[in-house]
Each structure stands twice: as structure tokens, then as C-alpha cells.
Amino acid sequence: MISNLKLSLWLIFCLPLYFHAQDKFTLSGRITDQASNESLIGVNIIFPELQTGTITNEYGFYSITLPEGTYNFQISYLGFNSISETISINENKTLNYKLTESTESLQEIIITENVEKLNIRKPQMSVNSLSINTIKQMPVVLGEVDVIKSITLLPGVTNAGEGSSGFNVRGGSADQNLILLDEATIFNSSHLFGLFSVFNPDAIKDLKLYKGGIPAKYGGRVSSVLDIYQREGNSNDFHMNGGIGIVSSRLLAEGPIKKEKGSFLLGGRSSYAHLFFPLFDLDSKAYFYDLNTKLSFNINENNNIYLSGYFGRDVFEISDSFENTYGNTVINFRWNHLYSAKLFSNLSVIYSDYYYGLRLNFVEFDWKSGIKNFNLKYDLKHYISSNFKLDYGFNSLYLAFNPGEINPTSDTSGINPYNLIKKYAFENAVYIDAEHQINSKLAVSYGLRLSSFHRLGQTELNLYKNDHAVNFNEDLQIYEKGEIIGIDTYQRSDVIKSFIHLEPRLALAYQINENSSVKASYNRMSQYLHLLSNTRSPTPLDVWAPSGKYIKPQLLDQVALGYFKTFKDNKYSLEVETFYKDIQNRIDYIDGANLIANDAIEQVILNGKARAYGLEVLLRKNEGRLTGWIAYTLSKSEQQTPGRTAAETGINNGNWYNTPYDKTQDFALTTNYNYNKKWSFGGTFVFQTGQPSTFPNGQYEYNGINIPHFESRNSSRLTNYHRLDISAIYNPKPDSTKKWKGEWVFGVYNLYDRKNASSIAFSQNRISGVNEANRLALFGIIPSVSYNFKF
């Protein structure tokens, strides 16, 4: 058996080396922007005669191994002039290229290669890329460019409605998304309770959203990965750019530390609408600010180092009685090392922190909670041949959870200091991923991730009768807190509970012809962290909890099948995908669950399961004056928590019910029209099935009080959601040779003033005694104007 295993491993990983090792040479190098010397991600390097090619990685590096000979090759990238050259391959070569921005007029077709076009041949599917230029052209609320809102215009991606934070992918919850900024985890992606995202568009270089077929180097979440990279800064010249809007402004500075060797980037944003509150006799404040920074330095041809950071805070105050502060802090050191022309590596040391603070002056106490993690990861990319590549590495993550602590703010408050029990965990993973072009028609990506999670010791851990933290009262037919029979104490180094999971990944693509292919994928993923929230979208007060003795990790199995086609020389592209997701151990809450300051959260939660399935269609127009896409999703997202025994009813009588993120139909139209050099116009239209909700279907009277009786969970819906947004960008001097360049951005959010329901509340009219339903709508029509500049 061991001999068979060795033979299988040799066939998988060594046989491709044997066939591609003779009379071949490696061409490698880096591709950068000539103006700024920044690396470019996803640049296409194509050898038409060989029908092969490669793309640059996240740090602008490429490598391809070719037979000896003389070939024509092309380098192309969105918005940049292409390079076409002839090269003789008779030895290993290192060639670095600098691309110049396209200067063709907007009346002509200037987008000849679009990084957002699907790659027919590659097995990767269920992935969407958006350039930051595309995002900046979209209409937005209050004129503030929003990365998170832009991805909700893609198929399979929604959110919980206006003013909600986070996003939902293929029927999953917001905490099931892994959000990375320069490889560091962002735990809260929103400012002002969901009004804006935490990502400064001027500091962002590239983003990718993985909805399925997720590579083995990613793990820890079961719905999606949003991978965002910051710009490095200009190492040639000093520049500044920014924008002034109605409610916020931003400013970014970049320049060389050492010309063509090192650079810095420093960007800041802040809102200031609260400064006008006194004009309306409002004694309140609501604002945010954030800071992006990055230092990059090229030590030599084989070594680059980066130090990046993010710091953001939201502040919400009501008079002198209430103050709420929350936000993210991220620091990341990375070292790129090139072992050879075929082996690229990246070492990252990352610190990430999410803080939540609440000061209640009227009762004189402070509340603090949060989560911190320390992350060490090492990733290697091995370009073995033009047809075979390996990614492998490891990841070690230490997590510290602070569920909450209360401290008095004065000696007379009468409040005693109190700390909820802090929790700790250690998460590790090793992975290997192979991308294999088997022949001209068939390409396969296959990999394996081995993840482990260790719940570390804490000062106290409740012990329950029969190991049940939640009991079922058969007489009352309700769930109740379990009976505590003792308390265990641990040292920090002790391990309370361990989990180990194998997570296979598989994707394949079969090319029908030059313009079309079919793809399929399967991935299993584990999630060991849970966001405790009983709202439709995350709030700053929500608390993260680790898996352990009473909380099991979530396990996902997802399959997807898709058809991909390009039309008219890549002018149009079509993606059609269907998917099915099954999630084990999805947390559910018993009726009446109290999640705030609960030191025994296991007493109000049960482990259930979830499923989601659907169809996604994405039709793009990639070239010409008019570009954009149509996205449509037809899907179902459900959850079930059956009873643990025949006597238990489970949640919702053990029946499947709609998750809060279920949107049966989701349609989005996104367009951009370049009218001339001075004017361009954008528009988006969105239609979504209403949010699932639970309404009362009756009432009874008890001691003179009317008490409502509610229907089954999420069996009703809010009204359907739809909205039209438009924008216009005006560049008054497009041909100016002056250093100062500016543009005006005009927008109208919700053009026809649709009053979309955010929630419906039921109450009894105090005068008439009649029950009433009150619909809350957050936004009507909102015009905006902003001015962007650079010099």
C-alpha cells in the first residue's frame, strides 16, 4: 500500500517535471508601471505560436518555461499600451518590463485587454475581479466610492439592505466571508454602521472575490474570500491626490524613499458631516477617519520588503451621555524572496485587531470588547513548467478574544469592574495546490489544505449535566439554559478542545473551442470562528467566539458547474454558473436568546445546518464607449436546526426556513458610457426580492396586555427592493499638460426616490388601540457632488 501511495504521489507531482525538463529554458521577471514603478498584478504574457502564456502574481512577478526557439510574445494589461516583441529562448533569461499608460482618445476603443475578462482556459471559476477604475466610475451614495457596495453588483453577492454592513455571498452570512487587506484579516469592513466601507479607493490596487473553487491557500471561512491589495506608492516622483465630497474628504501622498528602489504611501480619509449638526440644534456626533500606509523597498533583484498598515475608527456620540468608538488596526511586514527563476516566496508577519468601545456616562461605566490575532504565513509559488505550477505553504494564527469588560468611570458610579472570560485559540494550516494544463483542451487545479484549531485554556469553563449547555423543557416545549454542575479551570497553555480537518479542492476546465469552455469545481472548507449576532447584518457590538467544547466548527461542501463564452473577439463575455452549498454546524439561536454580555453563550445556541443553491448569469460588454454588465442570480438559502432527540422540537419545529440572507431573485445592471474626453456617464439599476422577515399572525391578552403570536421564522418578506443610480464625471481640461489635474463627479442615488423598506415594526396605536405596521425606509433620493484632484 505504501508503494502504491509513493507511485501515486510521483505520478501527480513528478511526472510533469520529467516531461518538461529537457531542452527548455525559463523566462522570468517583473512588470511594473513606468510612471510609478509599482508592480502590476494580472498582466498577460502570451506566446501565440505556442498557445500558452502566464500572468504576473500579486507582486508583479512572472515565470514561464518554454522550449528552445524564437517566438513572438505579447504583454498586455488594462489601460496600458501593449508590448509585442520577438525573443530567442536558448538560455534562462530575466527580463523586466515597464508598461506605459494608454494615451488614446476616449472616442476610440482603448480597452484591448481587460483584466476583468474571463480566462476561458484556466480552471479557476466563481471568481470576480474589479479594477479600481471601474469601481470609481460607479454611482454611489453621498459620492463616496465604496468597494463593498461595488461587489454587490456582481452575481451571487448581496447585502442586508441600505445602511447595512458587510455582504452576503451565495446565501451565506457576513461572518462567513474572509476579508483580506494586504493579507491581513479585516473583521469589520464598514464605517458608520454600513454607510461606507473601510477601504480608501485611492490606496487600493487590486481586488478579487472568490465565491467558489477557492484555492487551498485560503481558509478559515466557508462562503467567500475578498482579497484586496494596497498600492505600493510611486518610487519615481512625489505625487498627491485626493477628493472633497459632501460628507467626507480624502488625501493621499506617495513618493520615493530612494528613487526606483523604495517608496512610501500615506493616505487618509475623514468625514465631517457632524460639524454641521449644531446648525440644526443636534448635540450629537457621527464621523469616521482612517489611515492607510505602506513602505516598499527593493533590496536587490531577489529580495523585496513591504511594511503596510491600516488604522480606522468610527465615533458616534449622543450629547454627553453616550459615546461609541470602534474600528480596525492592521500591521503587516512582508518579505518577497526569489530562490530561482522558478521559485517565488513570500513571508508575512501580520497583526490584526478589532476594537469596540462604549462609554455610557449617564450610568458611569465603560464597555470594551474585541479580537486580536497574530499571523505568521509563508507562501511559495513554484513555476515548474509552462503547464504545471505548484503553490504551497503554511499559516499559523494566534487569536485572543475579549468578549467584554466593564469598568466604572467614577468612584460614585456604583458599578463594579467586571470582565467576561477571555478566550484564546491557535489555528494552523498547511496546503499544496497544483495547476496542471493536461493538454490543449483540459486544465485541472487540485489541492489539499490541512487545518487544525486548538481552543486554549481559559480561567473558567462551565460543566453541564449530560454535557448539554442547552436543555429542552418538554412540559413547556421550549429550550432553556443547561444545568451547571461544576467549573473547570485551565492554564493558558492547556488545550481544551482540538479539531483537525482535511479540505480538498478541485477545479477543472474543458475548452470546447477558442471561445468557450465548461468548468466544474468542488471545495471543502472549515470555519472555526463564529460571529454572535441576531441581526440581519453585523453590528459593531457583535462578538466573535471560537469553536470549542460546546461550539463546533462550520464545515462547507460546495460544488459548482459553469459555462463560459466570449463573443466577437472578446468584445462580449458570458458566464453561467450553478452551485450547491451544504454547511454543517451552522449556529442557531434559541427563542429569546440574550447575546449581549453573556459569559455562557453556549447556553443560548444550538448547532444546525444550512444549504444554498442557485443559478448565476453574468453578461459583460468589455470594449467600446459603452461598457458594463448584467448580473442575475436565482437562488435559495435555507437553515435547519432539528431536535437532538425525538422529543425535542428543534428550532422552527425542526423545519427548514429561509435564512435572513435569502434573496430569491437578484438583478443588477451596471453601465459606463464615455461620451468624449470631458464627459463620462454611469448608471446602475438593482432589483432584489424582499428580505425574509418574521411577522405576527395573531395575538392574545394576558393581564390586560396584548401579546403578539409570531408565524414561523422568516416565512414572510419585506417588499421587493429596487433602485436606480446615475453619475457623471466631468474633466474640464483633459489635454492639460499642467501637473494639477481635476475632475468633478456628480451623482444621484435612488433617482426615482423609492422608499425601500429597511424593516417593518408592529405596535399598538395608543389612541385607537388598533395594531399597526410601520415601515422604516432609510434613504430616499440623494444627490451628491465631489471634486477629485491629483498633482
Side-chain angles (χ1 to χ4, degrees):
M1 174 138 182
I2 293 176
S3 298
N4 290 337
L5 178 61
K6 288 181 178 178
L7 178 61
S8 299
L9 291 173
W10 187 87
L11 289 172
I12 292 173
F13 296 113
C14 298
L15 188 60
L17 277 67
Y18 177 78
F19 285 109
H20 297 285
Q22 299 175 337
D23 299 319
K24 296 196 174 185
F25 301 98
T26 299
L27 175 66
S28 63
R30 296 178 187 269
I31 300 181
T32 57
D33 179 350
Q34 186 174 47
S36 65
N37 209 36
E38 283 196 69
S39 62
L40 298 176
I41 303 173
V43 178
N44 296 290
I45 302 99
I46 305 296
F47 290 80
E49 299 161 73
L50 300 175
Q51 292 189 338
T52 190
T54 188
I55 62 172
T56 56
N57 69 4
E58 294 85 352
Y59 300 94
F61 176 78
Y62 75 93
S63 176
I64 187 168
T65 301
L66 302 168
E68 183 176 0
T70 300
Y71 307 103
N72 295 316
F73 76 101
Q74 301 168 356
I75 300 175
S76 58
Y77 190 60
L78 169 67
F80 286 77
N81 292 314
S82 298
I83 294 176
S84 295
E85 288 187 0
T86 300
I87 186 171
S88 295
I89 304 292
N90 51 22
E91 61 180 349
N92 293 334
K93 291 186 176 182
T94 299
L95 295 177
N96 299 322
Y97 289 92
K98 295 180 182 293
L99 300 186
T100 58
E101 286 193 58
S102 174
T103 57
E104 297 178 37
S105 67
L106 291 174
Q107 286 95 329
E108 303 172 30
I109 295 175
I110 65 171
I111 304 177
T112 57
E113 284 291 341
N114 193 327
V115 293
E116 294 164 16
K117 287 179 186 172
L118 61 111
N119 191 315
I120 294 293
R121 297 183 65 188
K122 284 189 172 293
Q124 191 176 72
M125 63 181 298
S126 305
V127 178
N128 293 116
S129 298
L130 286 177
S131 72
I132 197 63
N133 288 333
T134 299
I135 294 173
K136 286 183 176 181
Q137 291 171 344
M138 295 179 181
V140 288
V141 62
L142 296 173
E144 184 66 29
V145 175
D146 195 314
V147 170
I148 299 297
K149 296 294 190 297
S150 68
I151 64 174
T152 63
L153 298 172
L154 297 170
V157 188
T158 63
N159 61 14
E162 291 175 325
S164 62
S165 60
F167 58 97
N168 309 106
V169 176
R170 290 184 169 176
S173 62
D175 70 305
Q176 294 174 336
N177 303 315
L178 178 63
I179 303 174
L180 301 174
L181 179 65
D182 276 351
E183 302 183 23
T185 303
I186 299 294
F187 287 99
N188 188 324
S189 61
S190 299
H191 281 309
L192 296 182
F193 305 99
L195 197 58
F196 306 114
S197 81
V198 299
F199 303 108
N200 184 342
D202 292 338
I204 301 302
K205 176 164 65 173
D206 182 80
L207 70 87
K208 277 187 179 179
L209 177 68
Y210 297 84
K211 301 178 293 185
I214 298 174
K217 73 175 182 177
Y218 298 110
R221 301 293 188 274
V222 295
S223 265
S224 75
V225 177
L226 179 61
D227 198 4
I228 301 175
Y229 280 86
Q230 292 190 114
R231 293 179 51 223
E232 292 139 24
N234 192 319
S235 63
N236 290 332
D237 302 292
F238 177 80
H239 289 281
M240 296 186 74
N241 65 277
I244 302 171
I246 296 175
V247 297
S248 66
S249 291
R250 63 189 191 277
L251 184 65
L252 182 141
E254 57 182 323
I257 298 173
K258 184 178 181 181
K259 195 172 180 65
E260 296 190 352
K261 293 283 286 183
S263 62
F264 74 90
L265 179 144
L266 182 65
R269 289 190 305 169
S270 180
S271 65
Y272 39 70
H274 65 284
L275 299 177
F276 302 99
F277 284 5
L279 299 177
F280 304 96
D281 293 326
L282 296 175
D283 189 14
S284 302
K285 295 180 181 179
Y287 63 93
F288 74 86
Y289 58 92
D290 54 33
L291 180 70
N292 295 76
T293 183
K294 193 166 186 177
L295 302 175
S296 308
F297 195 81
N298 172 235
I299 299 173
N300 53 41
E301 289 186 358
N302 296 327
N303 295 279
N304 289 272
I305 56 174
Y306 307 89
L307 180 64
S308 58
Y310 169 84
F311 179 81
R313 284 293 183 265
D314 283 72
V315 179
F316 181 57
E317 297 181 17
I318 298 178
S319 302
D320 294 324
S321 60
F322 174 95
E323 182 179 341
N324 183 201
T325 305
Y326 63 92
N328 301 278
T329 302
V330 164
I331 301 173
N332 183 7
F333 172 79
R334 285 172 292 164
W335 170 41
N336 289 173
H337 178 65
L338 196 60
Y339 286 98
S340 70
K342 292 187 175 185
L343 185 56
F344 180 92
S345 70
N346 179 69
L347 174 69
S348 297
V349 181
I350 304 166
Y351 169 78
S352 181
D353 171 32
Y354 174 69
Y355 166 83
Y356 179 85
L358 181 64
R359 169 166 289 194
L360 300 176
N361 291 326
F362 62 94
V363 288
E364 299 181 323
F365 78 81
D366 282 345
W367 166 274
K368 296 179 182 178
S369 64
I371 178 174
K372 297 179 181 180
N373 73 46
F374 303 87
N375 190 358
L376 175 67
K377 63 193 299 282
Y378 194 46
D379 303 294
L380 297 102
K381 192 171 187 70
H382 204 159
Y383 300 85
I384 294 172
S385 75
S386 59
N387 296 324
F388 191 77
K389 302 177 183 66
L390 281 179
D391 287 275
Y392 46 90
F394 72 85
N395 182 195
S396 290
L397 188 64
Y398 175 78
L399 299 120
F401 304 82
N402 179 12
E405 57 183 77
I406 296 174
N407 291 296
T409 56
S410 73
D411 296 333
T412 60
S413 68
I415 302 292
N416 295 320
Y418 179 71
N419 292 342
L420 297 180
I421 298 171
K422 291 180 170 62
K423 302 175 178 67
Y424 306 91
F426 194 38
E427 184 175 350
N428 302 287
V430 293
Y431 73 90
I432 185 168
D433 228 342
E435 186 178 326
H436 191 178
Q437 185 74 40
I438 296 176
N439 55 43
S440 61
K441 294 285 189 181
L442 182 63
V444 183
S445 174
Y446 44 93
L448 186 66
R449 182 181 180 90
L450 176 64
S451 65
S452 66
F453 188 84
H454 307 282
R455 175 71 176 270
L456 302 180
Q458 59 191 57
T459 54
E460 295 181 2
L461 181 68
N462 292 336
L463 301 176
Y464 296 93
K465 186 177 180 180
N466 300 323
D467 243 8
H468 281 180
V470 178
N471 287 335
F472 184 70
N473 187 321
E474 293 188 29
D475 294 330
L476 299 177
Q477 292 288 290
I478 61 172
Y479 284 97
E480 298 176 330
K481 296 178 181 179
E483 180 183 346
I484 299 176
I485 59 174
I487 294 176
D488 267 351
T489 58
Y490 296 89
Q491 298 295 320
R492 179 83 62 86
S493 57
D494 294 337
V495 176
I496 299 174
K497 184 74 174 178
S498 292
F499 304 93
I500 298 178
H501 291 105
L502 280 172
E503 305 175 22
R505 316 288 170 90
L506 175 66
L508 58 89
Y510 181 78
Q511 190 171 356
I512 300 171
N513 53 46
E514 288 186 358
N515 299 318
S516 62
S517 66
V518 291
K519 301 184 183 184
S521 69
Y522 164 78
N523 61 279
R524 164 165 273 226
M525 301 185 76
S526 306
Q527 179 168 337
Y528 301 102
L529 305 187
H530 313 265
L531 186 65
L532 303 178
S533 173
N534 54 8
T535 59
R536 288 196 300 257
S537 69
T539 69
L541 190 57
D542 297 336
V543 175
W544 290 86
S547 297
K549 186 174 182 179
Y550 304 110
I551 304 178
K552 298 178 182 179
Q554 299 178 69
L555 301 175
L556 162 83
D557 291 287
Q558 178 175 209
V559 292
L561 179 66
Y563 174 73
F564 303 80
K565 184 175 179 61
T566 59
F567 306 88
K568 295 187 177 180
D569 296 326
N570 293 329
K571 188 174 183 179
Y572 298 92
S573 62
L574 173 68
E575 304 176 42
V576 181
E577 291 192 34
T578 182
F579 67 90
Y580 182 87
K581 296 167 58 174
D582 179 81
I583 300 176
Q584 303 173 43
N585 305 324
R586 178 61 182 156
I587 278 184
D588 208 342
Y589 305 102
I590 66 174
D591 291 333
N594 176 28
L595 305 182
I596 306 299
N598 190 338
D599 219 357
I601 199 67
E602 66 273 6
Q603 293 180 333
V604 296
I605 61 178
L606 293 171
N607 287 306
K609 55 186 177 180
R611 67 187 181 192
Y613 47 91
L615 174 72
E616 298 173 354
V617 179
L618 179 63
L619 176 64
R620 290 182 184 269
K621 185 176 185 295
N622 300 308
E623 300 178 358
R625 285 186 177 184
L626 178 66
T627 57
W629 64 84
I630 296 173
Y632 176 73
T633 307
L634 177 67
S635 63
K636 188 71 174 175
S637 175
E638 298 176 301
Q639 188 164 340
Q640 182 190 42
T641 307
R644 296 167 296 185
T645 66
E648 292 189 15
T649 60
I651 303 296
N652 199 53
N653 293 317
N655 298 320
W656 288 96
Y657 66 92
N658 296 326
T659 68
Y661 335 108
D662 177 56
K663 301 284 184 73
T664 308
Q665 299 192 70
D666 180 14
F667 174 86
L669 171 64
T670 304
T671 61
N672 183 70
Y673 182 70
N674 290 316
Y675 179 68
N676 55 33
K677 289 183 179 182
K678 291 187 175 183
W679 286 97
S680 65
F681 302 93
T684 61
F685 174 76
V686 176
F687 174 89
Q688 295 175 351
T689 302
Q691 197 92 19
S693 296
T694 306
F695 296 153
N697 59 2
Q699 66 178 21
Y700 60 92
E701 186 173 318
Y702 180 76
N703 290 337
I705 301 174
N706 289 327
I707 299 175
H709 178 272
F710 287 87
E711 62 189 1
S712 299
R713 281 197 185 184
N714 291 341
S715 56
S716 294
R717 292 183 182 272
L718 300 179
T719 54
N720 291 335
Y721 180 98
H722 51 89
R723 189 189 78 239
L724 174 65
D725 309 328
I726 60 172
S727 66
I729 300 176
Y730 173 62
N731 184 347
K733 298 178 180 179
D735 298 321
S736 173
T737 57
K738 294 182 179 179
K739 290 186 176 181
W740 181 279
K741 297 181 183 299
E743 64 179 19
W744 290 93
V745 181
F746 307 94
V748 181
Y749 179 89
N750 196 0
L751 181 65
Y752 52 83
D753 199 26
R754 164 76 175 179
K755 297 298 190 295
N756 288 298
S758 175
S759 64
I760 294 180
F762 294 85
S763 61
Q764 188 177 49
N765 189 294
R766 293 183 179 181
I767 299 175
S768 66
V770 176
N771 292 332
E772 296 178 333
N774 299 298
R775 183 176 69 174
L776 173 65
L778 293 182
F779 300 132
I781 183 172
I782 302 177
S784 64
V785 60
S786 58
Y787 179 73
N788 298 326
F789 59 88
K790 60 181 179 181
F791 60 90

